[in-house]
Amino acid sequence: MGRLDGKVAAITGGASGIGAGTVRRFVEEGAKVLIADLDADKGEALAQELGVATAFLRTDVSKEGDVAAMIAETTDRWGRIDVLFNNAGFGGALGPIESTSVEDYDLTMDVLVKSVFLGMKHVAPVMKAQGSGSIISTASVAGLRVGYAPHLYSVAKCAVIHLTKTVAMELGEQSIRVNAICPGFIATPLAAGRPDADESQIDQLRAAGASSQVLGRVGEALDIANMALFLASDESEWITGREFVVDGGFEAGPPWSRWPRFARMERPIRHHRPPDR
Ligand code: NAI
């Protein structure tokens, strides 16, 4: 028996990386999944490979009409929607604050934050009528701490975490759960800095990033898909309003022994015990 038997999901950014890994995992566990993405070539290829449990809809998550159509397509096709995974994203504006344009600001916020707001807004009435549902959004460890990503990406992911909590407070009464996942460094085209990155470029990323990870390897889409699966399933039925860090230990902080101050200390440990009487 699958952990998502009988459930219906829509996954944004489902054509690549974390989203595609989650589509595969959800289908393995018995779900029907709508793959929503801007990238029609990759999205349609994935839907064709996985067969009748999936369908693809070209969706721009920053456009309200597209997000409304995604929810409608899911319910028209399969009669309900149990899970919405707001996952689509990109790196957003790069560069110093004084040279970031208002257009870049708007685009970054539209794709990373407005999209999540729109997903929640349009799925809420359907889930309320059902009296159940799980909304999951992909934030980032960059939304918890500064220094891991450019200004606007960090701010946008922080907003996703806060939106998750405030909407969870509103929808709990109808048994709708709202949670976020904060991935660390995951080997995907986004982390490689280009949407068209191939497997060999992603392999280089794996090799380069492994030594800075507590658990000795970078994250894979499957690591995030497994958390999304838990949050989508009834196993997490008493969990809402939380952000779940999945980062191989990265965000907990660097090992204390890496600080030069401690590296210089070669003195033996001195115990400050009271003198014996
Ligand atoms: P990816 O580049 O492999 O996949 C992102 C997908 O989103 C692509 O298929 C792309 O076409 C789609 N997309 C982008 N803009 C869209 C739009 N306006 N409408 C619809 N679809 C759109 O990247 P990855 O890594 O799988 O990213 C997924 C999520 O994970 C993003 O929200 C990202 O910010 C987040 N994340 C990724 C991390 C990483 O290290 N890879 C770390 C932390 C968070």
Side-chain angles (χ1 to χ4, degrees), residues 13 15-19 36-39 59-62 87-90 111-112 138-140 153 157 183-186 188-191:
S16 173
I18 291 168
D37 204 294
L38 264 185
D39 189 331
T59 309
D60 181 345
V61 291
S62 66
N87 165 76
F90 74 143
V111 175
L112 296 180
T138 307
S140 169
Y153 186 90
K157 293 303 190 178
F185 184 175
I186 311 299
T188 68
L190 183 147

Side-chain angles (χ1 to χ4, degrees), residues 48-64:
Q48 209 156 26
E49 179 198 327
L50 295 176
V52 291
T54 63
F56 172 75
L57 184 70
R58 190 183 181 282
T59 309
D60 181 345
V61 291
S62 66
K63 304 262 184 317
E64 181 159 24

Side-chain angles (χ1 to χ4, degrees), residues 205-223:
L205 201 70
R206 290 184 174 100
S211 63
S212 59
Q213 304 292 317
V214 178
L215 292 178
R217 66 166 175 87
V218 302
E220 299 294 335
L222 183 61
D223 294 308

Side-chain angles (χ1 to χ4, degrees), residues 33-47:
V33 183
L34 187 84
I35 303 164
D37 204 294
L38 264 185
D39 189 331
D41 290 344
K42 279 196 201 169
E44 270 161 8
L46 184 60

